[in-house]
Amino acid sequence: MFASADTTNMNAVTSDKLASGTPKVFARNRLEIITAPGNPKHIKSVSDLANDGIKVAVCAAAMPCGAYTQQVFKKAGVTVKPVSEETSVSSVVTKVTLGEADADIVYTTDVKAAGNKAAGVAIPANQNVVADYPIVQLSDASNAGAAPAFIAYVEGPQGQSVLTSFGFLRP
């Protein structure tokens, strides 16, 4: 099976005829500004990230988290000059938790997973992006019986409860 943090990568899988069946959205995620614990730079909004005194690390635009971040910047009408572009959202979280960056935009679930090593600043709905997470069985699945069983679990009440506990939104 294949699960993605965006529909763009899922569309590549389906257009290349690698999927068996139709992808279904099993979870959603919002974006949030991540800062050091206590938010020492007093970041209150996306526009604060355009301040030259704020070191911002971002996901590269080719990554789902980077594409979503660019959408948030566009909706907020800001231009942000990052100090680094990372290839994964976990790298961005690490930059912030180690103090190498002051802030970035990551998934709400990443802020929650960082625990007391980070703080989060909500992004208003009119500037935010909701990421759809689709899942599908692959046509060349090595265990064709387990893939649909796992997908059913993820989409079912127990799987949804686990996802919700980590901060994901129900589809």
Side-chain angles (χ1 to χ4, degrees):
M1 49 119 302
F2 176 72
S4 180
D6 69 350
T7 55
T8 302
N9 285 314
M10 183 59 75
N11 290 341
V13 168
T14 56
S15 67
D16 287 346
K17 307 218 183 305
L18 302 173
S20 173
T22 304
K24 295 179 191 171
V25 173
F26 69 95
R28 291 192 163 92
N29 211 344
R30 283 200 169 97
L31 300 177
E32 192 169 340
I33 299 169
I34 188 170
T35 72
N39 192 1
K41 295 286 185 170
H42 309 289
I43 297 166
K44 295 181 179 127
S45 68
V46 174
S47 62
D48 290 341
L49 302 181
N51 180 330
D52 287 338
I54 306 290
K55 294 185 295 185
V56 179
V58 297
C59 287
M63 309 308 296
C65 58
Y68 294 139
T69 296
Q70 293 307 313
Q71 290 176 38
V72 169
F73 291 158
K74 185 175 180 179
K75 286 180 175 188
V78 299
T79 301
V80 175
K81 296 176 184 143
V83 295
S84 73
E85 287 189 14
E86 304 300 319
T87 59
S88 71
V89 70
S90 59
S91 296
V92 170
V93 171
T94 299
K95 289 275 187 188
V96 173
T97 59
L98 291 177
E100 295 173 11
D102 299 319
D104 184 30
I105 295 176
V106 297
Y107 301 107
T108 299
T109 52
D110 294 304
V111 175
K112 186 171 183 169
N116 64 3
K117 294 180 182 178
V121 177
I123 298 172
N126 67 333
Q127 295 176 355
N128 212 328
V129 174
V130 177
D132 287 338
Y133 286 56
I135 191 168
V136 72
Q137 180 175 336
L138 296 174
S139 49
D140 67 348
S142 60
N143 189 339
F150 180 76
I151 291 170
Y153 171 78
V154 168
E155 293 176 329
Q158 288 180 321
Q160 289 295 302
S161 178
V162 170
L163 290 166
T164 301
S165 76
F166 286 100
F168 287 96
L169 304 170
R170 293 180 186 264

